[in-house]
């Protein structure tokens, strides 16, 4: 069993920055594919970024160049968000799948095994 817990969400003005964090149990971060997703009420969950065990990262086109996924230990993953826009407003979730990112359809939320409860990010314009 793996638990994940997001934190760091909040309200920020457009153009601002925010970093959300994901703490996990065990050493899932070091061994498996970790992803950040976001969801707006009434819409499907959207893949934002993933980080591979070797540190390789992939971003959605919507956030490429503005967001950075990283990890600093075997148990924590971060999503640094810069130049925030109103359309970035969403509930942000981290997730883990017990595979390498390169071996799965990492933008598909259905492949992920465990999820956090989410942290709300609100960007005001």
């Amino acid at each position: 069993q793996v638990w994940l817990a997001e934190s760091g969400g909040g309200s920020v003005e457009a153009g601002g920055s925010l970093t959300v964090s994901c703490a996990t149990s065990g050493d899932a971060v070091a061994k498996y594919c970790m992803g950040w997703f976001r969801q707006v009420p009434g819409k499907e969950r959207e893949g934002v970024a993933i980080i591979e065990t070797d540190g390789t990262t992939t971003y959605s086109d919507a956030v490429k160049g503005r967001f950075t996924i990283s990890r600093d230990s075997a148990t924590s993953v971060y999503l640094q968000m810069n130049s925030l826009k109103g359309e970035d407003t969403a509930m942000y979730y981290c997730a883990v799948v017990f595979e390498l990112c390169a071996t799965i359809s990492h933008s598909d939320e259905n492949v992920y095994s465990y999820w956090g409860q989410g942290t709300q990010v609100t960007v005001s314009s």
Side-chain angles (χ1 to χ4, degrees):
Q1 189 77 12
V2 176
W3 60 257
L4 300 94
E6 302 91 340
S7 61
S11 297
V12 62
E13 293 186 352
S17 299
L18 198 64
T19 298
V20 290
S21 304
C22 175
T24 74
S25 60
D27 57 0
V29 171
K31 290 184 175 179
Y32 304 113
C33 181
M34 299 291 301
W36 280 100
F37 286 74
R38 64 186 182 186
Q39 188 171 27
V40 175
K43 293 189 176 181
E44 293 186 355
R45 201 169 294 187
E46 171 193 15
V48 174
I50 58 103
I51 186 164
E52 186 62 278
T53 54
D54 65 358
T56 302
T57 58
T58 303
Y59 300 92
S60 68
D61 289 341
V63 307
K64 196 175 298 181
R66 299 188 298 120
F67 288 15
T68 302
I69 186 172
S70 64
R71 61 178 184 228
D72 68 353
S73 69
T75 59
S76 297
V77 177
Y78 305 92
L79 186 68
Q80 180 180 347
M81 303 178 288
N82 298 325
S83 301
L84 283 161
K85 307 175 183 180
E87 51 262 45
D88 295 318
T89 295
M91 186 72 79
Y92 282 74
Y93 299 89
C94 64
V96 62
V97 53
F98 297 141
E99 304 284 350
L100 298 179
C101 297
T103 65
I104 61 169
S105 177
H106 51 75
S107 61
D108 181 356
E109 62 172 306
N110 295 307
V111 307
Y112 289 82
S113 304
Y114 294 96
W115 294 80
Q117 82 289 347
T119 186
Q120 178 68 37
V121 173
T122 302
V123 183
S124 58
S125 55

